[in-house]
Each structure stands twice: as structure tokens, then as C-alpha cells.
Amino acid sequence: MRKHTLLFVAMFVSIFSMAENLLSPDNNFRLNFYLSETGEAVYSLTYKNKPVIIPSKLGFELLNAPALTNGFTTLKVETKTCDETWKPIWGEVKEIRNNYNELLVILEQKAEQRTMKIRFRLFNDGLGFRYEFDKQPNLNYFRITDEKTEFALTDDHKAFWIPGDYDTNEYAYTTTKLSEVDASKVDGTGIGTHGFFAKNAVQSPLMMKTNDGLYINIFEAALVDYPAMQLLIDQKNLILTSALVPDAVGTKAYMQTPQHTPWRTIIVSDKAADILASKTILNLNEPSKITDPSFIKPQKFIGIWWGMHVPNTMSWDYAHAPNIKLKDTDWNALNPLPQHGATNKNVRRYIDFAAEHGFAGILVEGWNVGWEDWSGNWKEEVFDFVTPYPDFDVKALNAYAASKGVKLIMHHETSASVTNYERRIDKAIEFMKENGYNAVKTGYVGWIIPRGEHHDGQWMVNHYIRVAEKMAENRIMLDAHEPVRPTGLHRTYPNWLACEAARGNEFNAWSTGNPPEHETILPFTRLMGGPMDYTPGIFEIKMSYYDPKSTCQVHTTLAKQLALYITMYSPLQMAADLPENYEKRMDAFQFIKDVAVDWDDTKYLEAEPGDYITIARKQKNSDNWFVGGITDENARKAIIPFNFLDEGEWYIATIYEDGKNADWKENPMVYDIRKVLVNSKSVLKQNLANGGGVAISLKKTTKAEMKGLKKIK
Ligand code: NOJ
Ligand code: CA
């Protein structure tokens, strides 16, 4: 008996003597780390004593070298605590608290004489961890063929997912149990380039909900010099494993010590709204590298843009001239198409509209030569980024914009010929500076050149950052379309205002579109890593307006388009519809004119992924608040308490709501606008239509202004 006990104690010591525990500052999370009998690194995570991640392995397979998966012993363990507050250059809140407990385990593979560190940071809303490799004789250059990071789950959770894909994230979401994921069944029509790789693979951020109401988000932070992490699902054992995007020769990551991986993040709460409020991804990114951020201006903009996406309205192309070569085309000899969008006349009209209604920028696409033959041919020399079409007078237009106090926004569609873009980018930037541009939208439609690379691989990840850095050096703001999805790098490069990197509103113009639940999922997935250039504000909802034969439409009511300015956070928001469509509905357009894009505070009032979101935000340096509430295809009553307002003050609430019998499909464009009075004790019960929404602007008021307005209890 005694012998047995001793043996048990000895075993316990040998297996678990290395066990380390770490608590979050509020004690709600507990991280456990230990080495298995064969020296594998294993971690697990609980939240309020409930298991979230059960024992899961960590490590890497390497090319032509022994794996970093087992044979580890612990050399040293260090702990640390951090509690600091920092101020973002722009954001959803004025100040961000960075509060975590840290555990650093330094592991050694004696046989290989190599070390690997794992740094865990436990916050009050979840865990971040990364691998670090010091410079060392036996681990200098190495190639990762597979990252073996596991996230072993407790059950077959409900998941909001898009297919794993090396080249695109422009899918609509599917909601199923993890065991039911079949990425091969997802319709990808309308998406330019696919890099589908496995039916049981999904992308991160992955949002999940457990049967007992826990919300779990798995993602990554600070993706630098490393490929994006997607997730392979072991559908029997419910274990997710990191699936890195490979390069053209099949390698995942090229490493040279000292180097570290991005952070793997697991954000958890029993309230869905807390997931939206999490600042952990930002906290895991490096502080701003921009010493003088005065050129960075959160803004609203319009553009010569929607006209190209809707039927029969505008074109990017100047002329009909397929199969052209940049260097031997005489543009002046071509016959311009009547629908060419970026003409002097149109751009002036848009400049006037922007100036009149307070928009800082005007995006102009289709201004430069090359659009005649830009996509589908995997061609290297498509655009030169410096030659305007004959009907776009770059100097005169920028001067006209300047005279009206607004600026044109540059467009660099690279056609994914990244080699060409990199060769020409310095000249392109010079051209922008000479002509007074301070912002650029980039685009990567098509197959990447260098051929065989992927949009989300290490090479491209570095490219996007190189562009952000170059633009920062030249005091230019950046909005990237079709890049890898963001991972909080806008903290480090705050000139990188927004990205697309998901299925934007444009899909509604020419494809099956975005189902009404789409915008209730994106904030829990894509927006976890940073702002999205979703391009809200479409008033003319049905494309049959432009082409009687078209069945395409925006899958929301008009009021929901307004609400998106609040629920889809971005410091760069487009008023995406055509000016003439706004001119017909100036009363509703007023909300887009008024709404802020930079905030001192944000309250996530109610949220459920796939169903609804209601958010209130306080405008930067102002007493004004704005509220946005959206729902999926089901009508609902949003309950909006105004307890965030200053006590003892009355506010005029201008409510932009779905009109009578509004319905995203049958009757999307009816809306009402009413004014009521609210104070910090008021609770508004607000009806949202199927696929509907509500947008509210709140201004402090005086006794005189209150006359005749109804008070909400
Ligand atoms: C796709 C982008 O998302 C869209 O905004 C742009 O107009 C086209 N590419 C052309 O660059
Ligand atoms: Ca739903």
C-alpha cells in the first residue's frame, strides 16, 4: 500500500512537477502549462472554473530538421504583471487599459541543444501566447512546415465560419456545429481568387458559442513576418490545429533567430458584447511607430466607385481596348466610353458634393491607364500608377479639390501583380505627393505575382506592412482591399486606417450578396482585428433600379444602412451611394453627415452573433452620442437604455427607424425620422424590421428646444 502511494507520488511529481498555473488579474481565467512524459508542451485554459481549452499541444514541424514538438525540459520560468493605460491615436475609446499576468516558460531540447520560449499573457478577457526563439547556434535559420498549436475544445460548439482559404476572406458566413463544417459546400461565386485547401478548414477569427452560453473567439494578434493562421478541425475529437498559409514552394514560414511568432488569442466571455469590447488584440500589438501622427485624419469620404459596381452606370475603363500593353498604347488615340466614371466633369461634381456636405475625401477609381486589360490574365505589367487617362486632369482636379477644402483619395489597384507594384511604388508615392494626395486605397484582385504566392502567406503579409510603412514615411493614410485580414497592426501603424479583407457591401451590387445576418457576424470575426472599409450607406437598395432585369439587392433596410456607421467600427467610413441617390433623401442623409468616425467612448449594449448588435458611441471631444442597432432577417425589439448619458441632462434623440411594414426584401426603403427627449433614466423600446436597423443621434439640449417633444421614460 505504502509502496503504491510512493509510486503515485513519484509519478505525479515527474509528470506534473513542471505544471505552472497563471491566473488572470481578476482570477476568472486560469492557464495551466505542463510538459508531458515525452516532453511535449501542453496548455489548458479555464474561465470561471469551466474548461475552455482542454490539454492542447504546442510546437512545430520543421523542414529537414528535428521537430520542435517534444523532448522538452523546462529551463526556467518567469512571471510578470502589467497594468498600464495607453491612448490610441484614434479608436473606439479614448484610453485602453493593458492589464495582464504573464508567464514565460523557457524550454530546452537537450538532445538538439535548442531552446524555445512560450510567452503567455492572461488578460481579464482571455489569453494571448506566442513562441519566441532566441539567437542560438543550433537554431539559426529554420523553415516551418507546420505549426502544431492545438486548441482542444470541450464540446461540439456552434461556430460562425468561412472556409479556410489561402487567398480570400470574401465569403458569407455559415453557422453550424464544428463537426458539421464542410467548407467544400460553400458557394464562392463572385470571389475573384480562391485558395481553398480542405473541407474541414476554417479561417480565424473563429467565433464559437458553447451549449452553456460561453462565447469563444480564436484568432491571432500582430501578424508580422509569418503566414496567417487558419484552423483545421479534427471533427471527431473537436481539436482545432493551426493551419498556416504556405508559400509558392509549400513552406509555411521562413525563420531566422531571434524571431517570434504572432500571438495566438483566445477571447472568452459569458456575454457576447464583451467579445466586441475586447482590447486584447490591440494590447498585444506594438505601440505606434509614427512619431508625428498629425497627418492621420479619421474621415468620411465619398467616391467615384459605387457607380462601377451597380449595373449600367459607370466604368473603370476609359475605352474599349482589350489586350493592350502599357508601353505601346496611345491613350489619346482611343475613343472614350460614355460611361467612363473618372472624368473631369464627374470628379468636379463629386468634389462639389463632398465640400457641400462635409466629406473630407473623394475616392476616384478608374483614373489611371490599364483598366482595359486588368484582370484574369495573371499579367505582370498592368498599371503604372502614374499615368492618368486623357479625361482626368490630375493637377487641375486636385487644385479644384484644394480650393474647396477637400482631397482626392488615390487608388492603386495592383491587380495582385505585387512585383510590379513594388517596382513602381516609389514613383507612385512621388506622384501622389506632387499632386497633393494624402490617402490611398490599394487593391489586390487576382492571383498574386510572384506566381504561386498567396494573399495570406508570409511574403504577402510582409508586403502589406512594407506598404503601410512606406506610406507612413510619406505621411499618407492607407486603406487596403483584398489584403490578409488585420490583426491589430493599426496600433503600430495608425496611418493604416482600414482594410476590406472580408465580404463588403459591394457584393450586394453584383452577386447573391450578403445575407441580413452578415453584418451581425462581422464584428465578432473580421472586425476583431481592426476596422473594415465595409462601404455602408446604400439608399437605393434594389439593383433593378439600374437594370430592370437585375435581382441583386442590398440585404438590409435603408435604416440599417445608417446603423452600420455605428455597428461596423471604422475611422474611415464611406458614404458609398451615388450623390444623386442621397439628394433624393436628404433627411436620412443627415445622419451620415452628422455621424462621427472617432470616439471617446463606446458601450456595447446588446449583441448576439448572427442575430443582433446595438452599440452606443460618444463622439471624440464632444458631448454627442450616436447609437446604432441592427438585426438579422428577423424583426426584433431593441431595448436601448440611455444610462451612459450625463445624469440630469436632457438630450434630443433623432431616431432614424424602419418605416411601417419595412422589410429588407419586400419594402426596404421606407423609413421614419422622429425626435424625442431622453435622459440617463430613459429606456427606448425600438422596433427593427426584418433585416432592419435603427440609427440615433443624441445632442444635449436646452429647455427652450425641448418644447413639444415627447419624453421617453
Ligand atoms: C475590389 C475592391 O474591393 C473594390 O472596392 C474595387 O472597386 C475593385 N476591386 C477595383 O479595384
Ligand atoms: Ca440569426
Side-chain angles (χ1 to χ4, degrees), residues 565-598:
Y565 287 89
I566 303 300
T567 60
M568 299 279 259
Y569 167 66
S570 179
L572 184 71
Q573 290 280 28
M574 188 171 200
D577 211 335
L578 309 176
E580 47 271 41
N581 291 338
Y582 291 135
E583 269 153 3
K584 287 181 286 187
R585 294 172 194 88
M586 276 311 201
D587 55 352
F589 187 53
Q590 190 61 42
F591 181 82
I592 304 182
K593 290 172 65 169
D594 292 343
V595 70
V597 284
D598 199 10

Side-chain angles (χ1 to χ4, degrees), residues 158 160 175 516-517 520-521 608-612 631-634:
K158 173 159 112 176
F160 302 85
T175 308
E517 66 169 14
T520 70
I521 299 175
E608 181 63 29
D611 293 343
Y612 57 85
T631 181
D632 62 0
E633 68 283 1
N634 302 310

Side-chain angles (χ1 to χ4, degrees), residues 479-501:
D479 170 20
H481 277 230
E482 301 89 29
V484 69
R485 74 282 185 276
T487 55
L489 284 169
H490 55 288
R491 176 177 178 189
T492 314
Y493 305 105
N495 67 315
W496 196 350
L497 289 182
C499 292
E500 185 189 41

Side-chain angles (χ1 to χ4, degrees), residues 305 309 316 365 371 411 413 441 445 481-482 500 506:
W305 179 75
H309 290 272
W316 286 280
E365 297 199 359
W371 287 90
H411 184 224
E413 174 54 66
K441 168 179 169 182
V445 174
H481 277 230
E482 301 89 29
E500 185 189 41
E506 65 189 36

Side-chain angles (χ1 to χ4, degrees), residues 49-102:
N49 297 320
K50 279 189 206 163
V52 175
I53 302 290
I54 53 181
S56 298
K57 292 179 197 161
L58 300 166
F60 301 89
E61 302 281 357
L62 308 185
L63 186 71
N64 301 331
L68 286 159
T69 49
N70 57 15
F72 287 113
T73 50
T74 305
L75 265 186
K76 205 172 161 201
V77 169
E78 290 169 14
T79 56
K80 170 177 132 180
T81 287
C82 171
D83 191 359
E84 62 184 16
T85 300
W86 59 279
K87 287 192 165 69
I89 308 282
W90 44 262
E92 295 180 86
V93 290
K94 183 161 60 178
E95 282 186 344
I96 294 177
R97 185 171 175 197
N98 181 26
N99 182 203
Y100 61 81
N101 291 331
E102 179 176 289

